[in-house]
Amino acid sequence: MQNWKLSNVMITPSNNNGSLAIDANGLNELRVAAKQNSPEALKATATQFEALFLNMMLKSMRDATPQDGPMDNDQSRMFTSMLDQQTSQNMAKKGIGLADALVRQLSGRANHHVSQTGGEKSLSATSSATSTMHHRSIERTSQSSHVKAFQDLLGAHADEASLATGVPAKFMLGQAALESGWGKREIKAADGSCSHNVFGIKATSGWKGKVVDAPTTEYVNGLPQTKLQKFRVYDSYSDAFHDYAKMISKNPRYAPVLANSSGAVSFAQGMQRAGYATDPHYASKLANIINKSLV
């Protein structure tokens, strides 16, 4: 009886009658079969490991229970072990979720192997797209709350302006974030109302709309100076993005920026060269926000 084994019938893709093998030889055969990427073999392997896991749990529970009663002997313990094995098999057949998780993991590895060998290009593309979406989801979740709130508030307006200018929405959001301190330093009107001027655009002689006087920092010969300047006031953030898009599209000095806005660094450096701001570190600050804070 010491050599008794429950696994008289091994599960393979070609021979499956519902029994489960829990001896080492049976597991080795299942492991080899699973390498063939057969769905049946993967399911059998996962179910087998689930049964083993459950059996170990039952054994641990038995070992933690005192076994010094009059009915406790080698024969009773052997039949108890057999009962635990059968119970774990029945539970594994019904499933507790572990086997399904293992199947998904094993299938994912198999699909990765197939895509690497070039057998399924469409599968590789799908996996890549899913991975990218998952990565972006994680990034967005890890964003600071104020960054996410800012992006949620202005994202749609940036997308609309992007269609008009060809400048990526992410670049414009970065500039709005830098100019307004993520909305915390947005210019206020005299009565404290919102100016919606997140780009810090000044009210030059050609501006016919509402204006507000506000202090700003300008760099003269590399040194910061505080000055009182007139800034434009908009009725909405949509109007602010529309005016920004119009300005950089119509003003010739921003033409080089529109022609070379493929990267955050080149865009930021182009805006600084065009004279958008006097801060000597403006380009590096803008590129840093675009690359590290926004997704």
Side-chain angles (χ1 to χ4, degrees), residues 42-73:
L42 291 178
K43 177 62 176 177
T45 303
T47 304
Q48 185 66 67
F49 276 104
E50 185 171 69
L52 284 172
F53 175 75
L54 292 169
N55 189 58
M56 286 188 294
M57 288 182 59
L58 291 173
K59 184 177 185 301
S60 297
M61 293 170 63
R62 297 289 187 189
D63 291 342
T65 304
Q67 299 180 2
D68 54 358
M71 299 299 294
D72 291 318
N73 52 54

Side-chain angles (χ1 to χ4, degrees), residues 2-42:
Q2 295 297 324
N3 295 324
W4 177 88
K5 293 190 298 183
L6 183 63
S7 53
N8 293 320
V9 180
M10 303 299 180
I11 296 180
T12 66
S14 60
N15 185 8
N16 182 355
N17 69 353
S19 298
L20 295 172
I22 62 172
D23 66 321
N25 292 332
L27 284 177
N28 185 62
E29 290 186 18
L30 287 171
R31 180 178 60 82
V32 173
K35 288 184 177 181
Q36 301 174 0
N37 300 333
S38 165
E40 294 83 359
L42 291 178

Side-chain angles (χ1 to χ4, degrees), residues 256-282:
V257 181
L258 298 180
N260 185 29
S261 59
S262 58
V265 174
S266 61
F267 171 77
Q269 291 175 344
M271 293 301 288
Q272 182 166 337
R273 284 194 296 266
Y276 192 92
T278 58
D279 183 352
H281 303 293
Y282 189 83

Side-chain angles (χ1 to χ4, degrees), residues 207-227:
W207 175 250
K208 303 304 181 182
K210 292 178 290 185
V211 301
V212 60
D213 293 323
T216 183
T217 299
E218 299 289 349
Y219 286 79
V220 180
N221 297 323
L223 299 177
Q225 296 182 8
T226 300
K227 295 184 177 183

Side-chain angles (χ1 to χ4, degrees), residues 13-252:
S14 60
N15 185 8
N16 182 355
N17 69 353
S19 298
L20 295 172
I22 62 172
D23 66 321
N25 292 332
L27 284 177
N28 185 62
E29 290 186 18
L30 287 171
R31 180 178 60 82
V32 173
K35 288 184 177 181
Q36 301 174 0
N37 300 333
S38 165
E40 294 83 359
L42 291 178
K43 177 62 176 177
T45 303
T47 304
Q48 185 66 67
F49 276 104
E50 185 171 69
L52 284 172
F53 175 75
L54 292 169
N55 189 58
M56 286 188 294
M57 288 182 59
L58 291 173
K59 184 177 185 301
S60 297
M61 293 170 63
R62 297 289 187 189
D63 291 342
T65 304
Q67 299 180 2
D68 54 358
M71 299 299 294
D72 291 318
N73 52 54
D74 290 342
Q75 187 174 16
S76 66
R77 282 190 287 270
M78 181 191 68
F79 281 104
T80 297
S81 176
M82 293 170 59
L83 177 61
D84 288 346
Q85 290 177 343
Q86 187 62 51
T87 300
S88 63
Q89 290 181 38
N90 293 335
M91 293 175 65
K93 290 177 183 178
K94 295 179 180 179
I96 62 171
L98 177 60
D100 292 336
L102 288 172
V103 168
R104 288 193 295 270
Q105 183 177 8
L106 292 170
S107 297
R109 291 180 179 178
N111 290 341
H112 176 71
H113 174 73
V114 170
S115 65
Q116 289 297 314
T117 57
E120 294 289 347
K121 293 184 179 180
S122 61
L123 177 60
S124 178
T126 301
S127 299
S128 177
T130 302
S131 177
T132 299
M133 292 174 63
H134 179 63
H135 181 64
R136 288 179 178 175
S137 176
I138 293 175
E139 282 186 327
R140 193 68 186 274
T141 302
S142 64
Q143 280 184 310
S144 298
S145 59
H146 73 279
V147 175
K148 185 177 184 299
F150 188 83
Q151 199 163 352
D152 290 342
L153 176 65
L154 302 178
H157 305 307
D159 289 336
E160 184 178 354
S162 178
L163 294 176
T165 62
V167 176
K170 181 178 178 180
F171 294 180
M172 288 182 279
L173 282 173
Q175 195 161 13
L178 177 58
E179 291 289 341
S180 68
W182 297 101
K184 296 179 181 179
R185 298 194 307 271
E186 184 181 331
I187 299 170
K188 300 292 184 181
D191 60 357
S193 61
C194 180
S195 71
H196 299 101
N197 190 345
V198 290
F199 290 101
I201 301 177
K202 295 183 178 67
T204 57
S205 58
W207 175 250
K208 303 304 181 182
K210 292 178 290 185
V211 301
V212 60
D213 293 323
T216 183
T217 299
E218 299 289 349
Y219 286 79
V220 180
N221 297 323
L223 299 177
Q225 296 182 8
T226 300
K227 295 184 177 183
L228 192 65
Q229 300 278 6
K230 292 186 181 297
F231 291 88
R232 302 182 184 188
V233 176
Y234 304 102
D235 292 330
S236 66
Y237 290 119
S238 177
D239 289 344
F241 273 84
H242 178 77
D243 189 50
Y244 170 85
K246 179 181 177 181
M247 181 188 70
I248 64 175
S249 298
K250 302 298 183 181
N251 194 322

